[in-house]
Every structure is written in C-alpha cells, then in structure tokens.
C-alpha cells in the first residue's frame, strides 16, 4: 500500500491550508505535524462515554514529534521516511 505517501500528501495539504487561516491577532495559523510508521493498536475505551483510541509506541513517538516540533513543519521519523521513500523514491 502507499499509506506513507498518502499521509505525507495529507500533511502537506493541512500545512498549506493552515497557512491561509488568520488568527484574531492577524498572524497565520501554524501547525506542527509528526509522522511515524510502525505497529499500532486501536480500541474503544469507556462504557459511559465510549471513544475510539490509538495505542502503541508508534503513536507515542508521533505525538512527541508533534509536541516538540517546530510550528509550520512536518516532522517524520526514520521509519516513516523509509516507508515513504520505498513507496515513491521521488519524495527525497
């Protein structure tokens, strides 16, 4: 499948769209995006107010990259980079 290539395309679209949004202060919206590839698990958590969640080190790594990343940038892990390049070498 070409999941990494599609996620990168989506991340670029989100970043481009965010740049068109003006905050009340007049500045543009800057998003931080973290992309990682690897095993992850899903499940529904809760009985009273169930919600769908992702779990695993892959999810935690992507979240840490997003939280510590620079605004307006897309941060990718080595595993995601490898997956994206194996799907489309032109991405380099």
């Amino acid at each position: 499948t070409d999941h990494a290539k599609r996620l990168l395309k989506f991340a670029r679209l989100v970043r481009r769209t965010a740049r068109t949004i003006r905050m009340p202060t007049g500045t543009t919206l800057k998003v931080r995006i973290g992309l990682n590839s690897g095993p992850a698990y899903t499940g529904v958590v809760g009985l009273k107010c169930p919600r769908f969640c992702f779990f695993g080190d892959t999810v935690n790594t992507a979240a840490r990259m997003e939280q510590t990343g620079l605004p307006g940038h897309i941060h990718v892990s080595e595993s995601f980079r490898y997956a994206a390049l194996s799907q489309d070498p032109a991405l380099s």
Side-chain angles (χ1 to χ4, degrees):
T1 66
D2 60 347
H3 69 279
K5 182 179 173 181
R6 287 176 173 211
L7 280 172
L8 187 55
K9 185 177 180 180
F10 178 71
R12 288 175 173 166
L13 179 63
V14 168
R15 184 178 60 175
R16 189 177 333 121
T17 302
R19 290 178 179 163
T20 66
I21 299 171
R22 294 266 179 224
M23 301 300 290
T25 60
T27 60
T28 58
L29 180 64
K30 292 183 181 178
V31 295
R32 297 175 300 182
I33 300 171
L35 298 174
N36 190 18
S37 182
Y41 309 93
T42 63
V44 177
V45 177
L47 296 173
K48 188 174 181 180
C49 184
R51 61 184 189 268
F52 186 76
C53 294
F54 274 108
F55 303 99
D57 288 339
T58 302
V59 177
N60 296 336
T61 300
R64 272 187 257 111
M65 288 190 313
E66 179 269 329
Q67 291 167 358
T68 61
L70 297 172
H73 288 75
I74 299 169
H75 303 275
V76 300
S77 67
E78 192 63 35
S79 61
F80 185 87
R81 182 179 180 274
Y82 177 79
L85 289 175
S86 67
Q87 292 168 18
D88 187 355
L91 291 173
S92 61

